[in-house]
Amino acid sequence: MQAQRHTIDPAHPKCSSSSLSEPWQELVVHFEKLLTRVDGLISAVVTDRDGVVLLRANAPNITPPFTDSALGCTFALASDQASKLGLKKNKSIVSIYESYQLVQFNHASLITTFVASSNANTGLLLELGTELESVTQVIATALHERHSGAL
């Protein structure tokens, strides 16, 4: 299964394709491989809390039924509200619909979203998200350093 390649958005104020190009390409390849690890995984997306897509890998010939930017913003709001329950900071949210499921993770200042078919193994998706926490931390740190240098 070959995923559609997406690279960093050079217009994003926090990003620069020259500062992240080689590591970024490694991340794109890593995300493409994720799509083959879990049957039914349609899309893997990393956004900032404002919903700006930083990294995306989609299964070929399948268009995810959701708007990427809306996913990140909606998750950020829902996660903030869930954290008010007195159970400490919310780490992830699983939403299951008739045909799809969303598994979303709060990784530092970034949000990782998996869109999968409703019959995909949710436990595997949760495990995969936990594995990606260190990867998204690298992205968040690079963006923070880049943004701090621009000030």
Side-chain angles (χ1 to χ4, degrees):
M1 177 184 294
Q2 180 67 26
Q4 297 174 358
R5 283 185 172 239
H6 292 269
T7 58
I8 193 165
D9 179 3
H12 189 280
K14 298 178 185 174
C15 304
S16 165
S17 57
S18 62
S19 66
L20 297 175
S21 60
E22 187 173 326
W24 198 263
Q25 291 305 316
E26 290 176 21
L27 289 172
V28 170
V29 170
H30 183 70
F31 267 65
E32 289 173 348
K33 289 179 182 177
L34 294 179
L35 298 176
T36 63
R37 285 182 56 189
V38 179
D39 287 337
L41 182 57
I42 296 168
S43 182
V45 183
V46 177
T47 65
D48 66 9
R49 292 183 67 80
D50 295 326
V52 175
V53 176
L54 302 172
L55 181 72
R56 175 190 312 125
N58 292 329
N61 305 319
I62 299 176
T63 303
F66 307 99
T67 305
D68 294 335
S69 61
L71 290 175
C73 292
T74 304
F75 173 79
L77 292 170
S79 183
D80 288 345
Q81 291 302 310
S83 293
K84 294 178 181 178
L85 295 172
L87 301 172
K88 299 190 180 181
K89 185 177 178 184
N90 177 272
K91 294 181 180 181
S92 63
I93 294 178
V94 176
S95 304
I96 300 176
Y97 302 91
E98 186 175 329
S99 299
Y100 299 97
Q101 63 179 298
L102 299 176
V103 182
Q104 297 176 287
F105 301 89
N106 190 0
H107 290 151
S109 60
L110 302 179
I111 297 163
T112 302
T113 301
F114 295 134
V115 179
S117 64
S118 59
N119 59 357
N121 186 325
T122 307
L124 250 100
L125 294 170
L126 288 166
E127 183 180 309
L128 197 57
T130 303
E131 288 177 27
L132 286 178
E133 190 166 8
S134 61
V135 173
T136 54
Q137 183 59 47
V138 170
I139 297 170
T141 300
L143 293 176
H144 177 72
E145 288 171 2
R146 180 70 182 163
H147 181 66
S148 296
L151 295 178

